[in-house]
Every structure is written in C-alpha cells, then in structure tokens.
Amino acid sequence: MKKIIIPALLAVAMGVSAQDAKQILETVDRNMSSRNRIFESDMIIHGRRSSRTISSRTYSVGDKQSFTEYLSPPREEGTKMLKLENQLWIYSPSTDRIIQISGHLLRQSVMGSDLSYEDMMDDRKLTDIYDATLEGHEEIDGRDTYVLNLTAIVDDVAYYSQKIWVDSERFVPLKQEMYAKSGQLLKRTTLSDVQKIQGRWFPMTMVYKDMLKDGSGTEFRVKSAKFDQDIPDYIFTKAALKQ
Amino acid sequence: MIRFLLKGILRDKSRSLLPAIVVALGVFLTVFMSGFFKGIMTDMIDMNAKFTTGHVKIVTRAYAENEDQAPIDLSLLGVSEMKKQLQQEYPDMVWVERILTGGLLDVPDENGETRVQGPAMATAVDLLSPDSKEAERMGIQNSIVKGRMPQKEGEALISDEFAEKFNVSPGDEVTLFGSTMNGSMMFKTFIVSGTIRFGVTAIDRGAIFMDLKDAQMALDMDDAATEILGYFKDKPYDDLAARKLEDSFNARYSVESDEFSPVMIRLAETAGMSDYLVIAENMVSIMIFVFVIAMSIVLWNTGLLGGLRRYSEYGVRLALGEEKKHIYKTTIYEAILIGIIGSIVGTALGLALNYRLQSHGWDFSAITGNIGMMMPSVFRAQVTPAMYVVGFIPGVVAMVLGNALAGFAIYKRKTAQLFKELEV
C-alpha cells in the first residue's frame, strides 16, 4: 500500500509545486511586462580603471519593439538604438551611419557594461520562454522569497536556465542567476528599490554582474518609469534614428 | 694511395655508384630539409616579431593576463614619456607603440546603412610620421595589392580578402565599429586607400591597418597604446640580450601589486614561441642526427652487399699477403672518398633547390588556409653558410660508419677456405 501512496503523494506535491511555480512566474510577468513603457535611466558602469554614468531614454512596445536614445555623457549623446523583432540597429551621430548588429556581436558588451546586446533585446515574458519549478523559500534582505528554477522551453534563448528569487509578497525578482547549458554561471542580477508604479511593483535598481568578467558589475537605475503610454509608431522606424 | 683508391672508385662503378647515390640522396635531403624548415621557422618567428610580439613587448600586467581578448581598456597610458625614458635607458633598441583592437568592419550602402559587414582585427601603427619605419618593418608597402599607402588622416588599408569578399575598392568608405578604451561605442569611418595581402592567413582573413593618431582619436586613447614593442636596432632576435633587458626593465618598473604597471615580455616568452625558437636554432642539428642514423643503417646494408660482392677480391688480396687491417683501412678510405663525392653532389642539389625556394617560395595557402596561427602561406627556404658544409657530416660519417660495420666481415675471412673457393 505504501508503495502506491508515497509516489502518488509525491506526484501530487510536484504537480502542485509546478502549478505554484507557474502562477508565481505569471504574477512576476504581470509586474515586469506591460503593453508598452517609457524609461529614463542611468547606467553606471564600473570599469577596472574608472566608473562612468550613461543616461538614456527607452521606449518599448511589448517584446518586439524598442528604441533607446542616449542622453549623456557628450561622447554618447545622440547615439540611438532600434530593435525591431530580432534585428538591432545603432545610429552614430558622429559618422551619420546606421549599423546593423547581428550574429556573435549581439553577445558583445554594450558600452563596456555587463549587459550584452542580446540581454537588452530579450524582453520576452519569462513564462513564454521558461518552464518553472519551485525549489523552496529563502530570505533576501529581510524579505521572504520563492526560489524558482527556470529551464528554457525555446531554443533562441540567451540563457538555458535561471535561478530566480521572487519576493513572495510583491512578486518581483530580487535576485537572478543565469546559467549556460553546461551549468556555468554566466550572469548574476540583484534587483532592489522596489516601488509601486501605476499599480504594479517594479525594481528601480538592478545590478548586473557578468561572471566571466572582472569588475564590480553594472548598475542600472531607473529614474522614471511610465507604463501603458501613447507612443507614436514612427519612433520605431529607422527614419527616427537620424532625427 | 688516395689517387689509387680514387681510380678504383671511378673505374669500378659497380663498387661505388650505389653508395654514392645513397649518400648524395641523404645529403640532398639533409641540406634541403635543414634549409626549408629553417626558412619556415625563421619566417614564422620574424613574422610574429614584426606583427605581434616585437623582440620585446611592454604591456600592462592586466593586459598581459588577458591578451587573447585584446582588452583595450587595459592599455598603457602616458606612452610618450615611457618611450622617451626607454630610448634613454635602452638606446640599442627601437621602440614603437601599437594599438590592436577587435571590431566590426561595416560597409555602407548609398543610404549610409549596412550593406555588408564582417569581424576585423584593427591594427594601428605610425604610418604618417615622416621618420617612422613601421610600414617598412611590417612590409606594408610591399604587400599592397590595390591602391596605395594611407597619406593622410582618415585613410586606411583593408585586407584584400575582405575587399574581394565584400566588393570594396580603394576610394570606398568603411566604418569600424567597436569600443573605445572607456567602453563607449566607437564609430570611425575611413576611406580605403588600398588593399593589402601579407600571405599570412591570420591577418589576411580580416584586417584594417590605420594610422596610430587616427586610432588614438577614435578610441579615446590620447597618449595611450595597447603595447610598446622593442626591436634590436642592428641585429635579429637575441634571446640572451632580450632576457637581460626583460629582467632589468621588470625589476625597475613592474610592480606585482599594481595591475596597470608595465611588464616586459620577450619574444621567447610569448605563448608557444619558445618552442619554435629552440626548433629553429637546432634545426640543422636535428636534421644531421636524423640522417646520420637513417643513412648509416642504409649504408651498412649497402656495405654488407658490397662486401659480399667483393668477397673473392678480399680473398685474393689476403692470398697475396695483404693484411686484414690494411684491407679494412683501404675500405674505410674508399668510404671517405665516396662519402665526399656523394656529399658534394647532394649538397649541390640541396643548395640549388633551397636557393630556388628562397627566392620563389612554395605556396601552401591551400593547406594553411584554415590555420588561425600566424604563419606564412608561402614557405621559403633559408640558405645559411653552414648549409655548404653541413651535408658532409652525415654524408661522410654515415658512409664510414656503414662500411666500418660491414668491413668487420674481412676479419672473419679464412684463407684456408680460399683455394677451395677459387676452384669454383
């Protein structure tokens, strides 16, 4: 009898766990994703010799369209990036050129930061690209978190698996570890300064650390975030890059 | 007696022809292989010295640790002052700064948008200063396929392979996209002044050569360079002198706790180069050793066969009262003469082929096409004075050794059986 009951209970428990994990991830997606959004942010890149801050304004629609304009320092001012589906273009005002970024270059660092172009391009909902299992609970900075293991369900994903710590009350990730298929830890992100904006919880500070690089990581501070705005369509055209 | 033996060798060709051919062939291979491999190794070392390692190279300690990634953010700063100091302290050297960085070479269409693009290794050297010898040192002028050398800022040379593949001609614009020393995006548009082919697959695959000042401006590297290379003024690479220089510089300037302090690395210390140097320096000895062993075995057998064929002759000579020792001695003298004749022929043939390959080379691009390491695709031999005499060592030694071993049969010859044999 025991032989039947224990596996049955385990199966039920695992089913519940998977169901819970999926629900947690869906709630996270509801906080982190939106129909569209406009961010103004500072990216603080800590190099081995010095640190520098780059300010930008980003317009995004879903996970398919994104337009970023760099505002400062003067060296970067006027540089623009446009993402449409899986394509990325960069406009340089100094040369008046639009350069398409593709292939292995998408894995290169953006402006010496710990973020790659691929990281910046991939805005898909977690539930669209990962399957989740609930591992348990842990405490981060005094807050209870769900610990989820995510495994990719699509091929075109930058990280095969992730471990994610989700605030159990606000359903916002507080820490993420991204792994290669080999199991090697590639990146670690810590998210903090969670604020309620337009009815959703959102982390305003994110620190990305490329684990394959020396240095103390890249800090990404959201100065203002607006969700579900009216963004004109022309923003997401190549013509807008040169304007 | 030498004259007598020489007459015997020349008149009785069946006695000398086969050993002489074997010696000539062995000596030919020794001389040819020594020159050929010496040439390849020397070219490889020379090419690496000119393009990447210098005779000594100065980089930051952090750069040295990650050199394979060409980490431009870990470059040397204050290079003018450093060069001035180096020039004062080590006047026997020529010091030059270079910048190496990876990037994307993008070719625009008529709207300024990407038409084609490919990865490229950018090398910045002093091309425009009137007293710079960098173009000459790297053989840039001689490697131009189309167009001309850059004559002003904003002009660059690109690899002919890249130009052919992406249909770029002199006068066209290309944009180099990468990162500055501070990590900012770098866009720099150049006018292609010419296309270039060095015959080195690792460089020819995708490269852009620009003036140092252009690169320093584009990469935010004012008075900075990824490396300073040092070359001995009037001599080729000398490992002993380089080691002394390296020890002296590192003791004075390199601080282990400061990752941005400079460190000097001599050519032999660069990954893999020490092995090449040892092989190049000992190539002649290696070839002699191999061929002395191989030819001795062959000539031993030839001597044994000759001994059998001259079995009756030795018998008659013994019967006439000649001593075994004397017969053995004349056999050795014969071997020396045949060895010298074969060595002269083999050396002449080997040198002739090496001289031909030294001037014309042997195109191996079909084989080296996919090799990433820096090696020439046209292999050239190198003739050195030693090659005029080096063949005589295996030629004579192997012949004498072979005959000395085979000649022991003379001592086993029994005169008692002689008349019985002669009756037959």
Side-chain angles (χ1 to χ4, degrees):
Chain A
M1 193 63 171
K2 262 186 192 174
K3 280 183 184 172
I4 300 166
I5 290 171
I6 292 172
L9 284 173
L10 273 173
V12 170
M14 282 170 72
V16 169
S17 164
Q19 189 61 31
D20 287 350
K22 198 177 175 195
Q23 280 171 2
I24 293 165
L25 214 55
E26 279 169 357
T27 319
V28 169
D29 278 341
R30 275 200 289 277
N31 272 325
M32 304 297 286
S33 302
S34 58
R35 186 173 59 83
N36 69 41
R37 58 194 177 187
I38 304 170
F39 284 169
E40 277 199 26
S41 58
D42 282 344
M43 186 161 70
I44 303 151
I45 301 163
H46 302 288
R48 283 171 83 162
R49 271 192 163 117
S50 59
S51 296
R52 61 206 178 93
T53 302
I54 296 164
S55 302
S56 64
R57 185 185 297 122
T58 300
Y59 304 84
S60 309
V61 174
D63 61 345
K64 301 280 190 273
Q65 297 174 314
S66 172
F67 180 92
T68 300
E69 179 179 7
Y70 291 92
L71 308 170
S72 69
R75 185 75 166 80
E76 321 291 355
E77 191 181 341
T79 301
K80 293 166 191 166
M81 282 168 66
L82 172 68
K83 176 202 144 184
L84 296 175
E85 298 281 342
N86 295 321
Q87 292 182 294
L88 184 72
W89 292 271
I90 298 178
Y91 170 71
S92 141
S94 62
T95 55
D96 196 29
R97 287 281 329 269
I98 295 172
I99 288 182
Q100 187 172 1
I101 306 293
S102 56
H104 77 283
L105 212 79
L106 290 169
R107 295 197 190 107
Q108 298 290 308
S109 152
V110 179
M111 298 190 175
S113 71
D114 290 58
L115 282 159
S116 67
Y117 294 104
E118 214 166 42
D119 290 332
M120 295 192 77
M121 283 176 75
D122 204 347
D123 279 340
R124 287 177 287 183
K125 287 180 180 174
L126 290 170
T127 44
D128 289 344
I129 51 176
Y130 289 110
D131 206 4
T133 53
L134 179 61
E135 289 293 303
H137 287 258
E138 274 181 30
E139 202 170 276
I140 291 182
D141 293 334
R143 296 200 65 85
D144 179 59
T145 62
Y146 294 115
V147 184
L148 303 181
N149 268 339
L150 312 184
T151 309
I153 50 173
V154 292
D155 291 332
D156 60 332
V157 65
Y159 307 104
Y160 176 75
S161 64
Q162 288 197 29
K163 192 171 181 182
I164 180 168
W165 286 257
V166 178
D167 187 311
S168 61
E169 188 188 340
R170 296 165 173 173
F171 290 93
V172 165
L174 296 183
K175 187 175 163 188
Q176 274 174 282
E177 287 181 345
M178 289 84 155
Y179 295 87
K181 200 167 186 177
S182 63
Q184 185 177 18
L185 177 60
L186 298 175
K187 280 199 182 135
R188 178 178 287 143
T189 311
T190 51
L191 307 96
S192 57
D193 188 18
V194 179
Q195 292 182 17
K196 196 156 203 178
I197 301 167
Q198 293 176 241
R200 70 176 74 219
W201 290 104
F202 196 82
M204 302 297 273
T205 302
M206 298 153 219
V207 178
Y208 297 90
K209 176 77 189 83
D210 185 336
M211 303 307 285
L212 306 180
K213 266 172 64 172
D214 291 329
S216 48
T218 297
E219 208 171 314
F220 195 82
R221 286 188 191 153
V222 180
K223 291 192 287 189
S224 81
K226 294 174 189 164
F227 297 95
D228 302 323
Q229 301 292 301
D230 288 327
I231 302 173
D233 287 343
Y234 77 85
I235 292 250
F236 303 105
T237 61
K238 280 200 265 179
L241 286 169
K242 286 198 174 187
Q243 284 177 354
Chain B
M1 190 171 72
I2 292 172
R3 210 171 149 191
F4 171 73
L5 290 172
L6 202 58
K7 271 185 182 171
I9 289 167
L10 294 175
R11 285 177 184 168
D12 182 6
K13 291 200 175 57
S14 61
R15 188 200 303 184
S16 55
L17 194 62
L18 182 64
I21 289 172
V22 172
V23 169
L25 196 66
V27 169
F28 162 73
L29 286 173
T30 308
V31 173
F32 166 64
M33 298 296 259
S34 300
F36 189 57
F37 284 115
K38 173 89 179 160
I40 294 171
M41 290 293 171
T42 307
D43 274 359
M44 273 175 71
I45 291 161
D46 194 43
M47 194 161 276
N48 277 280
K50 282 175 180 171
F51 283 95
T52 59
T53 63
H55 290 154
V56 292
K57 171 154 80 173
I58 301 170
V59 292
T60 63
R61 295 182 77 90
Y63 187 94
E65 278 173 26
N66 303 285
E67 200 173 344
D68 51 333
Q69 297 164 24
I72 199 170
D73 55 322
L74 306 176
S75 296
L76 291 162
L77 302 178
V79 287
S80 319
E81 188 56 36
M82 194 184 286
K83 262 180 69 184
K84 209 181 286 174
Q85 218 161 334
L86 286 164
Q87 214 69 67
Q88 278 172 3
E89 287 172 25
Y90 308 105
D92 296 338
M93 305 287 292
V94 176
W95 300 98
V96 293
E97 68 256 59
R98 301 239 179 113
I99 294 175
L100 296 176
T101 185
L104 190 74
L105 207 52
D106 188 278
V107 185
D109 61 13
E110 60 280 4
N111 300 317
E113 291 183 25
T114 299
R115 175 168 69 82
V116 281
Q117 59 183 204
M121 196 65 204
T123 305
V125 297
D126 187 356
L127 293 175
L128 299 179
S129 299
D131 55 343
S132 170
K133 296 223 165 59
E134 281 283 78
E136 187 189 325
R137 181 174 295 113
M138 297 173 84
I140 294 177
Q141 178 81 59
N142 297 333
S143 306
I144 291 178
V145 180
K146 284 182 211 153
R148 54 164 175 79
M149 286 286 290
Q151 288 170 349
K152 56 182 184 197
E153 286 176 15
E155 290 188 341
L157 293 161
I158 64 167
S159 83
D160 193 58
E161 197 177 315
F162 185 95
E164 287 288 319
K165 191 172 168 188
F166 295 127
N167 196 21
V168 180
S169 306
D172 288 352
E173 282 190 350
V174 291
T175 301
L176 182 66
F177 170 62
S179 295
T180 70
M181 187 177 165
N182 302 317
S184 298
M185 285 183 199
M186 185 275 290
F187 300 85
K188 172 76 184 169
T189 299
F190 292 95
I191 293 168
V192 177
S193 71
T195 68
I196 200 160
R197 188 188 300 132
F198 289 101
V200 182
T201 311
I203 303 173
D204 289 342
R205 205 173 281 163
I208 174 163
F209 284 81
M210 66 192 82
D211 182 59
L212 192 71
K213 291 272 180 292
D214 268 340
Q216 285 177 324
M217 203 173 285
L219 297 163
D220 291 345
M221 290 181 73
D222 186 32
D223 202 22
T226 52
E227 56 199 31
I228 294 177
L229 302 185
Y231 294 92
F232 292 111
K233 257 183 190 163
D234 303 312
K235 58 177 178 181
Y237 179 69
D238 174 352
D239 194 44
L240 202 64
R243 188 190 289 263
K244 271 188 194 164
L245 190 68
E246 183 187 47
D247 291 345
S248 145
F249 179 89
N250 288 342
R252 196 177 298 184
Y253 296 108
S254 199
V255 183
E256 207 166 327
S257 57
D258 179 5
E259 63 175 349
F260 294 110
S261 70
V263 63
M264 186 181 281
I265 306 160
R266 67 184 202 279
L267 186 146
E269 281 286 285
T270 316
M273 289 305 287
S274 56
D275 296 338
Y276 289 128
L277 275 171
V278 171
I279 294 171
E281 277 170 15
N282 297 296
M283 186 49 71
V284 173
S285 313
I286 294 166
M287 286 297 148
I288 290 171
F289 178 76
V290 169
F291 281 100
V292 164
I293 300 288
M295 281 165 58
S296 294
I297 293 167
V298 174
L299 289 168
W300 180 9
N301 277 296
T302 315
L304 282 174
L305 288 171
L308 284 174
R309 204 178 54 75
R310 296 170 72 184
Y311 200 65
S312 304
E313 180 201 324
Y314 292 150
V316 171
R317 286 167 71 178
L318 286 170
L320 289 172
E322 198 173 346
E323 285 180 19
K324 285 180 178 172
K325 194 178 166 187
H326 188 260
I327 297 175
Y328 187 74
K329 219 157 73 178
T330 55
T331 311
I332 299 297
Y333 288 156
E334 265 184 30
I336 293 171
L337 287 172
I338 293 171
I340 290 171
I341 293 166
S343 297
I344 290 170
V345 175
T347 301
L349 290 172
L351 283 174
L353 187 56
N354 276 349
Y355 270 117
R356 166 88 190 162
L357 285 178
Q358 186 171 263
S359 56
H360 289 81
W362 193 348
D363 191 353
F364 273 81
S365 53
I367 297 168
T368 59
N370 294 319
I371 297 174
M373 68 189 290
M374 192 169 283
M375 66 185 299
S377 55
V378 176
F379 291 173
R380 286 175 198 282
Q382 186 186 14
V383 179
T384 60
M387 271 156 215
Y388 282 86
V389 291
V390 78
F392 286 82
I393 302 168
V396 177
V397 170
M399 186 69 197
V400 170
L401 205 62
N403 275 271
L405 291 168
F408 283 128
I410 294 165
Y411 289 96
K412 289 176 185 165
R413 197 83 173 82
K414 290 193 174 90
T415 39
Q417 290 181 335
L418 182 66
F419 291 102
K420 198 176 167 188
E421 286 167 16
L422 288 175
E423 281 169 9
V424 181

